[in-house]
Amino acid sequence: MFSGLVRGDAKIAQIDKDKETITLIVRCAPDFIKDLKIGDSIAINGTCLTAESFTSNTFTVTMMPQTYQKTAFKDLNVGAQLNVERSLQVGQRLEGHIVTGHVDDVATVKEIRQNENAIEIWFSFPDRLEKQIVPQGSIAINGVSLTVMDTKDNTFSVGLIPHTQDETNLAQLKVGSEVNIETDILGKYVAKNLEKRN
């Protein structure tokens, strides 16, 4: 379980691909992994993965090819900046929102606007998520907890304040970029229950 409050100071150091698994080596600040244990969960661009090994400034995770192909990882190369987050501990503040690290789908950047000191980004998303994305609702984009500003015709917008621009990889997005999205877990249950009633 995660909160969507990420660190953006990690980068892909190595990607190894074969038919059955994709191995990712991530380089990050030593303090991020100072108490890491093998088997711990780490959200990378919003995708919950398991630490399999680590050094003083890297950790290694493995994902199935299906996960790789169904997320925005397929478009990333060595050197790409990543948003990373360690799993929550009992007793920590929940300052973002509840994020599971189970990516729902990929969204595509349609428009980027400068709005004073903030960046407003519009994303298109698959039809099946329409009832789960609502104005003022929560959404995780590449693992970052954000508030949906507006929705229109299978698109939604979010705003990036200067802190988010500085601390995550979202300010690097361009029109056409793909991102991992996870809708609000509470919204999913509400939508599912409403479907059963109809």
Side-chain angles (χ1 to χ4, degrees):
M1 195 69 67
F2 306 91
S3 68
L5 300 183
V6 307
R7 294 176 52 155
D9 58 354
K11 292 186 177 181
I12 296 177
Q14 186 175 326
I15 305 174
D16 294 322
K17 305 176 188 177
D18 64 31
K19 293 181 180 180
E20 296 182 359
T21 58
I22 311 292
T23 302
L24 197 68
I25 299 177
V26 177
R27 181 173 290 109
C28 58
D31 68 307
F32 180 77
I33 54 176
K34 62 184 178 183
D35 60 348
L36 185 68
K37 298 179 182 63
I38 293 174
D40 283 357
S41 296
I42 301 176
I44 305 175
N45 277 5
T47 306
C48 180
L49 297 166
T50 301
E52 297 185 336
S53 63
F54 57 91
T55 68
S56 61
N57 66 347
T58 67
F59 64 88
T60 301
V61 297
T62 298
M63 66 183 83
M64 296 180 294
Q66 295 93 326
T67 302
Y68 185 80
Q69 291 298 330
K70 291 181 178 179
T71 64
F73 282 108
K74 63 185 180 296
D75 299 320
L76 300 182
N77 298 304
V78 170
Q81 183 181 349
L82 301 170
N83 296 329
V84 293
E85 181 185 2
R86 298 284 301 275
S87 58
L88 288 171
Q89 293 179 317
V90 175
Q92 280 184 285
R93 284 197 184 99
L94 184 61
E95 296 186 22
H97 73 281
I98 296 172
V99 178
T100 65
H102 302 157
V103 173
D104 289 302
D105 217 311
V106 170
T108 305
V109 177
K110 302 301 288 183
E111 185 179 356
I112 300 174
R113 306 173 186 169
Q114 190 70 41
N115 188 352
E116 297 183 359
N117 68 342
I119 298 174
E120 182 179 341
I121 306 180
W122 282 83
F123 298 89
S124 63
F125 61 88
D127 292 347
R128 68 183 187 82
L129 300 179
E130 182 182 7
K131 294 180 181 178
Q132 298 175 28
I133 301 175
V134 297
Q136 307 310 310
S138 295
I139 193 163
I141 301 176
N142 274 357
V144 181
S145 174
L146 293 167
T147 300
V148 176
M149 294 171 57
D150 199 3
T151 61
K152 180 182 178 182
D153 300 328
N154 280 52
T155 64
F156 70 90
S157 64
V158 298
L160 308 182
I161 62 173
H163 177 77
T164 306
Q165 296 172 40
D166 293 339
E167 296 296 324
T168 74
N169 61 15
L170 298 185
Q172 300 176 7
L173 296 175
K174 298 178 173 61
V175 172
S177 294
E178 291 188 333
V179 295
N180 298 326
I181 61 171
E182 179 186 334
T183 62
D184 185 12
I185 187 68
L186 300 177
K188 291 174 186 174
Y189 283 112
V190 170
K192 189 67 175 178
N193 284 323
L194 288 175
E195 281 178 13
K196 290 182 176 180
R197 292 183 180 183
N198 294 333

